[in-house]
Amino acid sequence: MNLLDPGGANAARIASVWWIIFGLGAAVYVVVAGFVLVAAFRGRRRRGDTEAVGRDSAFIWIGGVLVPAAILMLVAVVTVSTTRALRQPAKDPLTISVVGKRWWWAVSYPGERITTANEIHVPVGRPLRIELTTSDVIHSFWVPQLSQKVDTIPGQVNHLDMKVTKPGIYRGQCAEYCGLEHARMAFIVVAEDTTTFERWVAREQRPPGGPSAEQEARGQQVLVSSSCAGCHTVRGTPADGTLGPDLSDLGSRRMLGAGTVDNTPDNLRRWITDSQSIKPGNLMPPVPLSRDDADAVVAYLESLK
Amino acid sequence: MTTIAQPSADAAQPVLPGEVEEAMERRWRDAPGIPGFFASVDHKKIGVRYMVTAFVFFFLAGVQALFLRAQLAQPDAHVVGPQAYNELFTMHGVTMIFLFNTPVLAGFGNYLLPLMLGTRDMAFPRLNAFSYWIFLFSGLFMYSSYLFGSPPDGGWFAYVPLTEKAYSPGLNLDFWALGVAFIGISTTVGAINFIVTAFKMRAPGMTLNRMPMFVWSILAMAFMVIFSVPIVTLASMLLEFDRLFGTKFFLAAAGGSALLYQHLFWFWGHPEVYILFVPATGMISMIIPTFSRRPLAGYVWVATSLVAISFISFGVWVHHMFATGMPALAMSFFSAASLLIAIPSGVQFFAWISTMWHGRVRWTTPMLFALGFLLIFLLGGITGVMVAVLPFDWQVTDSYFIVAHFHYVLNGAVVFPIFGALYYWVPKITGRLLSERLGKWSFWMMFVGFNVTFFPMHVLGLLGMPRRVWTYSAGLGWDGLNLLISIGSGVFALGTLLTVANLVWARRRGAPAGADPWDADSLEWSVSSPPPHWNFTTIPSVAGRHPLWEGAALDEHREALAGEDDAVESMGGAGALTRTTPITGGLDTRPERLLVVPRETYLPFVAALGVAAVFVGMLVDAALVGGVGVLLGAIGIVWWGWRTEEDLV
Amino acid sequence: MTALPVPVQGSTVAVVPPQGSPGRPVGWWGMLVLIATEAVLFLGLLSSYFFLRAQAREWPLGGIKPPELTRISIFTVVLLASSVPLFWGEHAIARGRMRQLRVALLLSFVLGLAFIVNQGVEYRDLTFGWRDNAYASAFYVITGLHGLHVVVGLLMNLVVQLKAWKNRLSAERHLTVKLFSLYWHFVDVVWIFVFSSLYLSAHLR
Ligand code: HEA
Ligand code: HEA
Ligand code: CUA
Ligand SMILES: [Cu+2]
C-alpha cells in the first residue's frame, strides 16, 4: 500500500509532490538543524563576553523570514497547480457508486446496472468517477496507491475523479474512524485491461446461474429460508435483503468480511457460523446452522460467480 | 529606610521592626491542615496543584498509550479488543489535550506570572482556586466513566454522526460532551484571570515591552482561549442536546449538518494546538537566554510572532477537513494560511538560534531539553507544512503520518519544553536543585526513545496505515516498524520515570538552590526559593527587560513613580503586611489602586462542587438537574452581586 | 492610623500626588473579557444558523413559517429601551444620587421583564417544537440562550436594587452597578444581532 509506488494517475502526481516537498523539507531540516548544533557548540566554547543584540536581526530576517517565504511561495505554487489537476473531472468517465457502511463497502455501477461489495473492478486507462455516499456515519475512501482519499459525508455526494494506470490488485481501507470495526473496513480494487473488464461486466450482469449440484441446491434453500435472506441479496432468488453485502458474485470475490480474510471455503464456513470470531463486533449476527446446512450454504455461495 | 503610612484598608496592630517578617507570615499563611488545603487561594499553591494533578493525568494517558503500543506491536494481536482499544486512544488523546497539556501550562502560568510580573497574587485569586477545582472535578468526571464501563470511544474529536445517539447509545459520549464543556469553564476562567493579571498587575516600570517572553506567551494563549473555547463548548453542548433532547443540529436527514460540527470543533481545535504550543515556546524563550547568558534575540520580533501566530491560528481550521470534499478554492485559502504560519514560527526559531550563536551556552539539563525541543519541533513543523499542502494531505490525512506530525509537535514541541521547565523552575518551587546527572540520563532516554517511537510513524503513514485501527493484518509491510515503535515508546516512558525519580530524590537530597541558581534575568529569581507567601516584600520597580542582569537595584527608580497614594504605599512592606498589592495602569504601569488579596475561603471549592453537581446530574436526569442548576446559579449570582463592593476593588 | 517602619531596600518612596483617573478596577476588566467570550459564543451560534441555512433548500425548514415580526419588533424596542435608564442610573450614583439609581433600576427591570414575558408567550404560540428539524432546534436554542441571559440580567438587577434600597452603594463604591450595566448593555446588543438574524433575515429570500 505504499503511496510512493503509485498505480494511478492521482497517486503518481501526489508522489511527485511528495518528492518535491520531501526534498525541500529535508534540505531545510539539515540546514536549520545544522545552525542549531553549530550555535550550541560554538556558544559552549565561547569565553568572555557574549555578543551584542544588534547582530541578531540578520539571522531573523534571512533565516526566519526571507528564505522561508521564498520556499513557501514555491510550495504554494505546487499546491495550487496540483490541486487544480486533481480536481479536474475527465470526459466520459466510468461512474462507480460506492456507499460506506459500518463496516463494509457497497459498490454499484449505475450505468452497467451491477451491484457488488468490497471489491471494485476497474478498467486500466479509463477515467473513473467514484460517487461517494454513506448510509450511516462518515467513512473515507482511500486506495493509497491509486489516489487521494475522499470522505463519505451524510447528506452529501462527494466525487473522486481518478484513473488507474497499471493493472493490478490494490488494497484500500476506510480512513475515517467509524466506530468499532473501523480497522477491518478494507476493500480491494482490481484493475484489469479493458477486455477482461468487459468480460467481468458481462458476467456480473447475468444473474448467477442456478445451483448445479444437489448440495448447492440445498444451500440455496437454506439461505433463502433462513435469516440470511433478510440481510443479503442473491439476484434471481427471493433473498433481497440490503443490510449486508450483496452475495450474488461471492464465489468470485477474493476476500471476506471487507478485506479481513481470504475467501476460502474454510474461512467462509467460519464466517457464516461465527463471523464474530473473525471480525469482532461486526453487524452480522451468528446464525445457528447445522453442520450440513452450513456446508451446503458454503458450497452454494462459492458457486456464485 | 523610609517610613510610610499603612493603608487604612486594614487595621493591623503596630509592628515592631524586628517582627516584620513574622507579621507578614501571619497575614499570608494559610490555615494549617485540611481546612487550609481546601480554602487556599495562594497562586503558588494553586499552580503547584495544577502541575501535580496534570502530571498524574499525564501518566495515566501515558499508560494508556503503552497499552495502545502493546496492542499494535504485532499484527492481528489481541492484547485488547476493538472496543477497549477505541476507548484507550480516545481517552489517551482527551487526557493528554484537556487534562494534561492545557492544565500543566496553566499551572506554570499560575505559579510564575505573579512572580515574573512582580506582584503578590493573581488579579482574581478566588477565581483562580475555582478554576483549579473545576479542572480537578472535570477530570474526575471524565474518568468516572470507567466506573460505569463506558468511557468515551468516539476519538478525541468525536465526529458526528458516529457520536449521535443512533450510533453511540451508551453514556460514553455523554461523558465526553459534558466533560468538554465542564473543563472549558476552567480554561476560560483561567484565561480571564491571566489576561487581567498581565494587564493590570505588572510592577511599576514593567511596560508591555519589558514583560518576560513567558508572560507574552501566556497572554497570547489566554486570548486564543477566550476566542476559541466558547466554540468547542458550543459544539459539545449542541451534540449533547442532540443526544439528550433529540434536537437535530447535526442530523443531515432533518436539515442538520455533520460538517457544521467539524467546523465548530476545529475552529477551536486548531487554535487549541497553539494554545498548547505557544506557552511552551514561551518557556523556551526564557530558558535559552538564561543559559546563553544574554538577552533573547529579537525580543520584539518574538513577541510579534506570538501575536501573529495567535491571529493566524484562527484562519486555518479547515486544514483538518481537507478530505471532506469542499470546493478547492476555499480549501486552497486555508492551505495557504497554514503555510503562512510557518513564518512567525521561523522567526522565533531563528531568534533562538541567534541567541545561542552570539551567546555563551551552558549545557545544563533545561538547556538540553531546549535543544531537544529545537531539533524535534523543527521536524514536526516541517511535516506540518507538508500536510498543509492540500494534495499531499489528501493522501496522508488520517494516516499515521498525521499521528507522527502531531506527536512531534505535541509530545515533542510541548512535552520537552515542559520537562525543561521542570528542571528550570522546580528549584524555585521547592528550593532544591534537581540532579543534573539523572536529568541528563532522563533527557537522552526521552530523546532517543521519542525519535524511535515517532519517526517510523511517518513511514507507516506513507505505507498506507490509517490511524485509529485497533489491529492490522500481517503482510502489509507494517509489522516490523510497529514493533520498533512499541519498543521505542517503552524507552521514552522509562526516560520520563527518571525525571519523576529525580523529583522525588531532590525533594529531600537536592542541593539548596538559593534565590537565583541559574543567573537568570527575570523577577522570579529575585526572591528566595521557595518564595515567601507574599512573593515580594517590596514590589520592585522595573527599569528594563532584564531586571536582574541590569544590575542596579530594583528600587532605585522608585522616585520617578507617580500614582495613587495607597497604591504606591502598598508597594512597600506595608502592602505585604496588609495583604494588598498595587493594581497598575495597563500601558503606563502607574500604580492606580489597591488590590486586597482575599483570605482563604471555601467558596471556590463549594462553587466548583455545585458546578460538578450540575454536570453529574445531567447524566442522570437532565430536567431535574436543570432545575437544581438554575437554583444554584441564582444563589451564585445573588451572592456575587451582594459582595462585589466588598471584595472586588 | 499607625505609622510603622517598614524596611524598603534602596531609596526613598516619594509619594507623588494623584494624577489622572485611578483607572478601572480589575472586576470591570474581568467582566469585559467574560463578555468577549460570551460574544464569541453567540457569534458561533449565529454562524451555525447561517451555515445550516446555506445548506438548506428551503428556509425555514419543513414548511415552518418565518417568525412573525410586528410584536417582536415592539419588544425589541422595549428591550433596547431598558438600557437607557441604566446610563442615567450610573451617572446618578457616581454623584451619590441614590433615589435616581433606584428609579432607573426599577424602570430597566420592568422593561426587561416585559421582554421576557413576551418571549414566553411567543414560545407558547409557536407551532413547532425544537425536535422538529435543524431550523427549529437552532431557533429555540439561540432565542433560549439569549432569554437565559436576560433572566440572569434581571436577577442581577434585583440584587443591585436590593443594595440600592439598603444603601449599600455610594458614589465611591458602586462597582456592582457598573458591572451589571455593562452586562445588561451586552445582552441588549446581542439581541440586535439575534433579532436581525432569526427574525428579519428569515423573511429575506
Ligand atoms: C503543538 C501542537 C501543534 C503545532 C505547533 C502544529 C503546527 C503545525 N501544524 Fe499541526 N496538528 C496538531 C498539532 C500541532 N500542529 C495536531 C494535534 C494535529 C492533528 C489533530 C488530529 O487530527 O487528531 C495537527 C494536524 C495538522 C494538520 C491536519 C492534518 C490532517 O489531519 O490531515 C495540518 C494541515 O495543514 C497541520 C499543519 C501544521 C502547520 C503548518 C504547523 C506550523 O505551525 C508549523 C510551523 C513550524 C515550522 C515550519 C518550523 C520552524 C520554521 C522554520 C525553521 C522556518 C523554515 C521552514 C520552512 C520554510 C518550512 N497540522
Ligand atoms: C500531549 C499530547 C500527547 C502525548 C504526550 C502523547 C504521548 C504518546 N502517544 Fe499519543 N496521542 C495524542 C496526544 C499525545 N500522545 C492524541 C491527541 C492522539 C489522538 C487520539 C485520537 O485519535 O483521538 C494520540 C494518539 C496516539 C496514537 C494513535 C492511536 C491510533 O490512532 O490508533 C498512538 C499510537 O501509537 C499514540 C502513542 C503515544 C505514545 C507511545 C506516547 C508516549 O509519549 C507515552 C509515554 C508514556 C508515559 C509517559 C507513561 C510512563 C509511565 C509508566 C511507564 C508507568 C508508570 C506508572 C505509574 C506512575 C502509575 N498516541
Ligand atoms: Cu469506515 Cu472507518
Ligand atoms: Cu491545525
Side-chain angles (χ1 to χ4, degrees), chain A residues 35-84:
Chain A
F35 269 106
V36 170
L37 293 177
V38 171
F41 280 101
R42 189 184 127 104
R44 181 150 82 152
R45 277 201 317 275
R46 183 191 302 276
R47 297 282 168 267
D49 269 352
T50 57
E51 279 166 60
V53 185
R55 302 272 194 107
D56 298 322
S57 51
F59 266 93
I60 296 178
W61 260 109
I62 299 173
V65 181
L66 295 177
V67 175
I71 297 174
L72 293 172
M73 291 294 273
L74 193 69
V75 174
V77 171
V78 173
T79 303
V80 171
S81 62
T82 321
T83 304
R84 253 178 59 115

Side-chain angles (χ1 to χ4, degrees), chain B residues 69 85 92 96 101 156 406-407 411 457 467-468 492:
Chain B
R69 287 320 316 172
Y85 185 90
H92 166 70
M96 284 294 190
N101 248 337
W156 80 279
F406 71 70
H407 281 93
N411 196 356
M457 288 190 185
R467 66 192 280 203
R468 298 172 160 183
F492 181 86

Side-chain angles (χ1 to χ4, degrees), chain C residues 31-111:
Chain C
M31 180 58 102
L32 195 71
V33 184
L34 181 71
I35 285 177
T37 62
E38 291 252 57
V40 176
L41 185 64
F42 277 101
L43 198 73
L45 267 170
L46 293 178
S47 313
S48 305
Y49 174 87
F50 284 110
F51 186 93
L52 292 170
R53 180 171 172 176
Q55 299 230 318
R57 249 172 273 114
E58 42 157 8
W59 197 259
L61 294 165
I64 298 172
K65 276 203 262 320
E68 197 265 325
L69 273 182
T70 334
R71 205 169 70 197
I72 196 69
S73 306
I74 296 172
F75 279 92
T76 298
V77 176
V78 167
L79 184 66
L80 296 184
S82 72
S83 262
V84 179
L86 289 185
F87 285 112
W88 180 51
E90 230 184 313
H91 192 260
I93 186 66
R95 283 160 190 69
R97 297 184 202 134
M98 191 66 79
R99 284 262 282 293
Q100 283 182 23
L101 174 67
R102 291 177 195 153
V103 176
L105 286 170
L106 197 65
L107 209 65
S108 177
F109 184 84
V110 171
L111 292 172

Side-chain angles (χ1 to χ4, degrees), chain A residues 24-25 28-29 32-33 63-65 67-72 75 149, chain B residues 97 101 156-157 159 265-266 269-270 272-278 280-281 309 316-323 334-335 337-350 352-353 374 377-390 392-394 396-399 401-403 405-411 413-414 467-468:
Chain A
L24 288 173
V28 169
Y29 191 86
V32 179
V65 181
V67 175
I71 297 174
L72 293 172
V75 174
K149 64 175 73 63
Chain B
I97 301 262
N101 248 337
W156 80 279
F157 39 81
Y159 275 180
F265 186 90
W266 290 115
H270 185 85
E272 168 67 10
V273 303
Y274 292 97
I275 286 170
L276 304 175
F277 172 63
V278 160
T281 66
I309 289 177
V316 303
W317 79 90
V318 166
H319 69 209
H320 297 274
M321 303 164 60
F322 278 162
F334 287 95
S335 180
S338 310
L339 296 179
L340 194 62
I341 223 166
I343 293 199
S345 299
V347 166
Q348 287 203 67
F349 210 95
F350 277 87
W352 294 321
I353 293 183
L374 290 175
F377 168 56
L378 183 59
L379 204 138
I382 290 173
T383 55
V385 168
M386 287 175 172
V387 292
V389 172
L390 187 45
F392 182 62
D393 185 68
W394 278 341
V396 294
T397 184
D398 277 316
S399 78
F401 196 90
I402 302 298
V403 180
H405 160 66
F406 71 70
H407 281 93
Y408 263 81
V409 275
L410 281 176
N411 196 356
V414 181
R467 66 192 280 203
R468 298 172 160 183

Side-chain angles (χ1 to χ4, degrees), chain B residues 353-368:
Chain B
I353 293 183
S354 184
T355 307
M356 295 189 296
W357 192 278
H358 299 115
R360 219 164 81 223
V361 179
R362 281 177 288 169
W363 285 40
T364 55
T365 309
M367 190 63 184
L368 275 184

Side-chain angles (χ1 to χ4, degrees), chain A residues 3 29 40 42-44 46 48 51 56 63 87 142 144 148-149 151 156 158 175-177 180-182 184, chain B residues 76 153 294 297 323-324 326 331 350 354 357-361 363 375 394-395 397-398 462 468 470 473:
Chain A
L3 57 85
Y29 191 86
R42 189 184 127 104
R44 181 150 82 152
R46 183 191 302 276
E51 279 166 60
D56 298 322
R87 276 290 180 94
W142 187 31
Q148 74 268 29
K149 64 175 73 63
D151 293 350
Q156 178 173 329
N158 279 345
E176 184 64 78
Y177 177 61
L180 198 62
E181 275 297 0
H182 159 67
R184 297 294 200 195
Chain B
D76 299 307
D153 57 356
R294 57 154 280 174
T324 55
M326 271 181 248
M331 288 195 290
F350 277 87
S354 184
W357 192 278
H358 299 115
R360 219 164 81 223
V361 179
W363 285 40
L375 294 179
W394 278 341
Q395 268 286 20
T397 184
D398 277 316
L462 296 177
R468 298 172 160 183
W470 74 277
S473 307

Side-chain angles (χ1 to χ4, degrees), chain A residues 97-108 115-120 130-135 137-143 149-152 172-176 178 181-182 184-188 244-246 253 257-259 279:
Chain A
S97 149
V98 174
V99 186
K101 300 185 176 241
R102 287 180 313 158
W103 292 281
W104 57 281
W105 302 89
V107 180
S108 60
T115 310
T116 176
N118 299 334
E119 186 169 313
I120 305 172
I130 319 259
E131 266 179 19
L132 292 160
T133 52
T134 172
S135 67
V137 304
I138 303 178
H139 307 271
S140 194
F141 180 88
W142 187 31
V143 193
K149 64 175 73 63
V150 176
D151 293 350
T152 68
Q173 185 162 357
C174 175
E176 184 64 78
C178 51
E181 275 297 0
H182 159 67
R184 297 294 200 195
M185 185 167 165
F187 58 98
I188 50 183
D246 190 311
R253 302 219 288 254
K279 183 171 171 180

